Amino acid sequence: MLKTIKILFVCLMMMTSCKEENKTQAVNETKGRDSIQPNIIYIMADDLTTQAISAYGGIYKDIAPTPNIDRLADEGMLFQDVLCTNAICGPSRASILTGTYSNKNGYYKNESGGKFDKSQWTFPQEFQKNGYQTSLFGKWHLGTVPQGFDNFKYHNSAGQQGNYWDPIYNENGRDIKEKGYATNLSTDFAINWLESGRKKEAPFMMLLQYKAPHRSWQPETKYEQLWEDIEMPYPATFDDDYKGREKTAGDTEMTMDYFSRRDMKYAEPKNLKGKEKLAWAFYGAKKDEIVQPDGMSAQEGKKWRYQTYIKDYLACVKSVDDNVGRILDYLDENNLTENTMIVLTSDQGFYLGDHGFFDKRFIYEESLRMPFIVKYPKKIKSKTINEDIITNIDFAPTLLDLADINTEQKMQGKSFKSILMGNTPKDWQQAMYYHYYEFPYWHHVQPHYGIRTQKYTLAHFYYNIDLWELYDLEKDPQQMNNIINDEAYSDTISDLKMQLTGLMKKYENNKSLEEFRVITDKDFGSIVDQKDDEMSVKDILNKE
């Protein structure tokens, strides 16, 4: 009897041990799944703005919806206040890669801005060093060879702006001309790499950076006539008269009057070559060169140019949205969705007729705000919206943090991983510093710096003028009323100027105006060494 009891006791202990072992194994497996580093797909469209994404609302949301980008927002987090530190293509890309301001990474401007210093640390290098497979497809626009990528294939024509149709790509050091539409092609390269260009056992980090919807807004053939029979709505500020801002917003070359024949899709005469061809195509981009059909009044011509522009721009966005859908479908079909984080953003915002403008550059909201949507099913709750101030120098530290990659590299940006998880730190930034340097080419926007809080925008325009502007974003969200001389805001102005000085010191950019002007005037060189027809556009536009 005693022997039987002992046997039963031993069996019971063994069963308990087995259960505990199985439980421990299950817990460890769960921990293992949770600790797996995420795959990351960073999608950046060039000059894509929140006004063109239906998830952000706006006047085009029902006419030109973006269902695939909206799906990212529906299944992840949409950010309302992600801001660009220098709203122009190359400098923004440099800040995103390095986590630093232009004055630290040395890339201040597009025109005569030179090449990005490839000896600098960038976040893809850190991913690569830590076992990630890395790739880049689409637009690079920084001049030097991309660093930190196992594979790359980037636009390498028209000063690295790239062409919409039959573009030339640099594939791992070799130029190749491809046949087709650039937005589709860049996605083809990305999916081919996901399918057969990587080792399936290691995590990956991919940059997919579309040329679209950058100027000259050439839609895919199937979308060329998409909205031919309707009149697109006009932004509320379309007929802005720039009162109180005559020498800043009112003195640019980015209004509806500055579209060229190429922008307006005029049929080019045959047999034109070289500079003669470019001079014809870019007629309209200089003052007093108005492109419009005969017989139209000035207002009719303005509206006609806007209609042509907005339909082409949104049609280019339509193809971007289609290709975001292709990426989402691939992830779903290959069981990669759960552990893949997708970021959708742009290099800055853009004007879609707002204030009568196209292009970007200003500290004003439409160009300052970047679309930013993140989907990561394992960590980020669906249908969430964030309104914290975040800047493009915060991207690099955040991506590394989410991948659990520790680095000794000093960045000026801060990780907002906890914000993505739904918890904003008590000491999170309440203001951001902005600085734009390029003048006068392109678009004749005065260099300026400023501070943006959730309630105010204060800016100092300084190149050949010395003017301050203040906007109360709660009372005047469209920024039509410059209240810098309103006595009721004198204390606010003093406080904002003090905060601004503090930020300029923090980011090591507290220079004199004369030192800032030197940066604007300095020729840092060309972004590319080889010359082509597009490189002489500046000469044509500057010729009197």
Side-chain angles (χ1 to χ4, degrees):
M1 181 69 178
L2 184 61
K3 185 177 180 181
T4 302
I5 293 172
K6 286 183 177 179
I7 292 172
L8 288 171
F9 179 75
V10 170
C11 289
L12 182 62
M13 291 298 292
M14 290 177 64
M15 289 173 63
T16 302
S17 176
C18 287
K19 286 181 180 179
E20 289 298 321
E21 185 177 336
N22 289 338
K23 183 178 178 182
T24 301
Q25 183 178 351
V27 169
N28 288 337
E29 285 178 356
T30 300
K31 285 183 178 178
R33 285 196 298 271
D34 287 344
S35 64
I36 293 173
Q37 290 177 297
N39 303 311
I40 296 173
I41 298 179
Y42 175 91
I43 303 174
M44 185 162 70
D46 193 315
D47 291 344
L48 178 64
T49 187
T50 57
Q51 306 97 284
I53 297 173
S54 46
Y56 280 95
I59 61 176
Y60 313 108
K61 67 182 180 66
D62 296 323
I63 301 171
T66 50
N68 295 298
I69 296 175
D70 292 0
R71 179 183 161 191
L72 293 176
D74 191 56
E75 298 175 2
M77 181 176 284
L78 179 146
F79 288 79
Q80 291 283 7
D81 228 4
V82 171
L83 309 174
C84 186
T85 53
N86 182 358
I88 188 171
C89 303
S92 178
R93 292 164 189 268
S95 288
I96 290 167
L97 287 168
T98 62
T100 62
Y101 272 85
S102 300
N103 58 290
K104 293 294 284 185
N105 63 52
Y107 208 72
Y108 292 96
K109 49 192 181 177
N110 276 357
E111 183 59 40
S112 301
K115 301 177 179 65
F116 176 71
D117 178 4
K118 70 176 183 180
S119 69
Q120 291 184 85
W121 176 95
T122 59
F123 79 81
Q125 296 176 57
E126 198 73 46
F127 273 92
Q128 187 182 52
K129 187 173 74 174
N130 282 273
Y132 268 76
Q133 296 174 95
T134 58
S135 61
L136 160 71
F137 302 104
K139 187 168 178 178
W140 177 240
H141 198 234
L142 288 170
T144 45
V145 176
Q147 302 296 303
F149 298 100
D150 301 324
N151 290 274
F152 60 75
K153 192 164 184 176
Y154 64 85
H155 283 285
N156 203 30
S157 58
Q160 288 199 347
Q161 290 286 2
N163 295 311
Y164 275 99
W165 289 101
D166 300 340
I168 295 172
Y169 287 88
N170 182 305
E171 182 175 18
N172 299 321
R174 184 168 64 98
D175 279 354
I176 298 173
K177 186 168 185 176
E178 299 283 0
K179 198 79 174 168
Y181 189 67
T183 309
N184 299 333
L185 288 169
S186 293
T187 308
D188 290 344
F189 307 149
I191 290 176
N192 289 342
W193 182 78
L194 290 172
E195 182 66 25
S196 58
R198 64 183 179 91
K199 296 176 182 177
K200 302 295 172 70
E201 64 273 14
F204 64 83
M205 194 279 298
M206 179 173 74
L207 272 56
L208 175 54
Q209 303 188 154
Y210 295 115
K211 170 190 172 57
H214 191 278
R215 195 178 188 179
S216 54
W217 313 294
Q218 295 179 24
E220 198 173 348
T221 304
K222 64 182 179 180
Y223 293 137
E224 284 181 343
Q225 307 298 323
L226 187 58
W227 297 290
E228 182 180 14
D229 298 327
I230 68 169
E231 183 176 22
M232 286 289 187
Y234 298 89
T237 59
F238 184 69
D239 288 317
D240 190 345
D241 63 4
Y242 314 116
K243 184 178 180 181
R245 299 158 290 138
E246 291 85 357
K247 294 184 179 180
T248 55
D251 185 24
T252 76
E253 295 175 359
M254 48 189 262
T255 66
M256 299 292 106
D257 288 344
Y258 286 89
F259 286 124
S260 69
R261 285 171 175 150
R262 176 182 287 186
D263 296 329
M264 294 295 99
K265 308 303 185 291
Y266 272 47
E268 186 177 287
K270 295 180 180 180
N271 304 319
L272 294 180
K273 294 182 180 180
K275 294 221 170 187
E276 184 183 28
K277 178 185 177 78
L278 282 175
W280 185 92
F282 281 89
Y283 179 88
K286 292 171 64 175
K287 195 172 184 179
D288 299 324
E289 294 181 346
I290 303 297
V291 174
Q292 65 186 48
D294 293 338
M296 282 188 176
S297 68
Q299 184 66 9
E300 288 170 340
K302 178 181 178 181
K303 288 186 172 182
W304 175 81
R305 288 187 294 276
Y306 164 78
Q307 290 294 329
T308 303
Y309 159 60
I310 195 62
K311 291 174 183 179
D312 285 347
Y313 177 97
L314 292 174
C316 290
V317 173
K318 177 68 174 168
S319 291
V320 170
D321 186 72
D322 288 347
N323 280 278
V324 169
R326 291 179 63 198
I327 295 295
L328 293 176
D329 289 345
Y330 180 86
L331 297 178
D332 288 344
E333 292 162 5
N334 290 274
N335 299 315
L336 289 167
T337 298
E338 187 69 14
N339 196 48
T340 300
M341 180 175 70
I342 301 179
V343 176
L344 185 285
T345 188
S346 179
D347 38 7
Q348 74 282 305
F350 209 70
Y351 295 97
L352 303 184
D354 317 271
H355 299 288
F357 293 153
F358 68 97
D359 210 66
K360 52 263 186 178
R361 302 167 194 270
F362 277 111
I363 195 174
Y364 307 144
E365 289 295 286
E366 292 84 359
S367 50
L368 182 70
R369 290 176 65 224
M370 307 168 71
F372 197 84
I373 303 171
V374 184
K375 177 190 174 187
Y376 182 20
K378 286 181 67 173
K379 298 287 186 181
I380 300 173
K381 290 182 180 179
S382 61
K383 304 181 189 299
T384 50
I385 296 174
N386 181 268
E387 295 183 351
D388 293 305
I389 289 178
I390 290 164
T391 71
N392 57 346
I393 63 169
D394 299 324
F395 295 1
T398 303
L399 294 174
L400 292 166
D401 196 6
L402 284 160
D404 291 323
I405 294 175
N406 295 317
T407 177
E408 296 179 357
Q409 177 66 29
K410 291 183 179 180
M411 291 173 274
Q412 293 177 316
K414 302 296 181 186
S415 170
F416 54 93
K417 177 180 176 180
S418 63
I419 291 175
L420 284 162
M421 304 302 130
N423 300 304
T424 301
K426 291 182 180 179
D427 62 348
W428 189 253
Q429 58 200 0
Q430 298 301 310
M432 65 87 67
Y433 167 57
Y434 179 86
H435 204 136
Y436 170 79
Y437 301 86
E438 190 174 296
F439 185 82
Y441 186 83
W442 292 58
H443 299 297
H444 200 267
V445 172
Q446 280 283 338
H448 57 287
Y449 60 85
I451 181 174
R452 160 66 152 73
T453 70
Q454 289 191 334
K455 187 171 181 180
Y456 298 106
T457 297
L458 176 75
H460 185 200
F461 295 82
Y462 63 80
Y463 183 74
N464 56 26
I465 58 178
D466 184 6
L467 294 173
W468 288 83
E469 294 182 357
L470 174 68
Y471 299 95
D472 186 327
L473 300 177
E474 291 181 355
K475 295 180 180 179
D476 178 27
Q478 294 175 336
Q479 296 173 292
M480 299 287 283
N481 183 23
N482 175 19
I483 52 175
I484 195 67
N485 295 319
D486 188 332
E487 285 294 325
Y489 288 89
S490 58
D491 290 344
T492 298
I493 293 168
S494 296
D495 177 62
L496 288 170
K497 285 185 176 181
M498 185 168 63
Q499 287 189 59
L500 175 57
T501 299
L503 289 173
M504 295 173 81
K505 289 178 179 177
K506 175 182 177 180
Y507 295 117
E508 302 175 51
N509 202 29
N510 194 28
K511 299 180 177 69
S512 68
L513 294 183
E514 190 53 44
E515 288 174 305
F516 287 144
R517 292 183 184 109
V518 168
I519 294 169
T520 296
D521 290 336
K522 183 175 179 179
D523 186 348
F524 292 87
S526 174
I527 191 172
V528 294
D529 296 320
Q530 74 270 22
K531 297 290 183 181
D532 58 27
D533 285 345
E534 294 292 290
M535 298 298 291
S536 60
V537 174
K538 178 182 175 182
D539 296 333
I540 291 170
L541 296 186
N542 285 346
K543 186 177 180 181
E544 296 300 329

